[in-house]
Short mmCIF file of all heavy atoms in Angstrom, two decimals:
data_model
loop_
_atom_site.label_atom_id
_atom_site.label_comp_id
_atom_site.label_asym_id
_atom_site.label_seq_id
_atom_site.Cartn_x
_atom_site.Cartn_y
_atom_site.Cartn_z
N CYS A 258 -8.79 4.68 6.50
CA CYS A 258 -7.75 4.63 5.47
C CYS A 258 -8.05 3.49 4.52
O CYS A 258 -8.95 2.66 4.77
CB CYS A 258 -6.41 4.46 6.16
SG CYS A 258 -6.16 2.79 6.76
N ALA A 260 -6.76 0.71 4.01
CA ALA A 260 -6.69 -0.67 4.69
C ALA A 260 -8.00 -1.14 5.15
O ALA A 260 -8.23 -2.33 5.37
CB ALA A 260 -5.64 -0.68 5.79
N HIS A 265 -9.12 5.90 11.67
CA HIS A 265 -7.94 6.43 12.41
C HIS A 265 -8.34 7.72 13.19
O HIS A 265 -9.01 8.53 12.60
CB HIS A 265 -6.82 6.77 11.53
CG HIS A 265 -5.99 5.62 11.01
ND1 HIS A 265 -5.06 4.94 11.89
CD2 HIS A 265 -6.06 4.91 9.91
CE1 HIS A 265 -4.54 3.99 11.17
NE2 HIS A 265 -5.06 3.89 10.00
N CYS A 323 -1.18 -0.62 11.36
CA CYS A 323 -1.99 -0.51 10.15
C CYS A 323 -1.09 -0.43 8.91
O CYS A 323 -0.03 0.32 9.04
CB CYS A 323 -2.93 0.66 10.25
SG CYS A 323 -4.10 0.74 8.88
N ALA A 324 -1.47 -1.06 7.86
CA ALA A 324 -0.64 -1.07 6.61
C ALA A 324 -0.46 0.33 6.03
O ALA A 324 0.54 0.51 5.29
CB ALA A 324 -1.26 -1.98 5.66
N CYS A 325 -1.27 1.29 6.37
CA CYS A 325 -1.17 2.59 5.76
C CYS A 325 -0.03 3.37 6.40
O CYS A 325 0.33 4.44 5.92
CB CYS A 325 -2.46 3.38 5.91
SG CYS A 325 -2.74 3.97 7.63
N GLY A 326 0.54 2.94 7.56
CA GLY A 326 1.64 3.64 8.22
C GLY A 326 1.22 4.59 9.31
O GLY A 326 2.07 5.13 10.04
N ARG A 327 -0.06 4.89 9.39
CA ARG A 327 -0.53 5.77 10.51
C ARG A 327 -0.39 5.03 11.83
O ARG A 327 -0.72 3.83 11.92
CB ARG A 327 -1.99 6.18 10.30
CG ARG A 327 -2.12 7.26 9.16
CD ARG A 327 -3.52 7.60 8.83
NE ARG A 327 -3.58 8.57 7.74
CZ ARG A 327 -3.38 8.22 6.52
NH1 ARG A 327 -3.33 6.98 6.15
NH2 ARG A 327 -3.43 9.19 5.58
N ARG A 331 -7.42 3.02 15.89
CA ARG A 331 -8.61 3.03 14.99
C ARG A 331 -9.82 2.57 15.76
O ARG A 331 -9.79 1.93 16.79
CB ARG A 331 -8.38 2.08 13.77
CG ARG A 331 -7.05 2.33 13.04
CD ARG A 331 -6.89 1.42 11.85
NE ARG A 331 -7.00 -0.02 12.06
CZ ARG A 331 -6.14 -0.72 12.64
NH1 ARG A 331 -4.99 -0.25 13.06
NH2 ARG A 331 -6.38 -2.03 12.80
ZN1 ZN B 501 -4.53 2.78 8.26
#
Side-chain angles (χ1 to χ4, degrees):
C258 73
H265 282 281
C323 189
C325 75
R327 286 175 181 80
R331 308 184 305 283

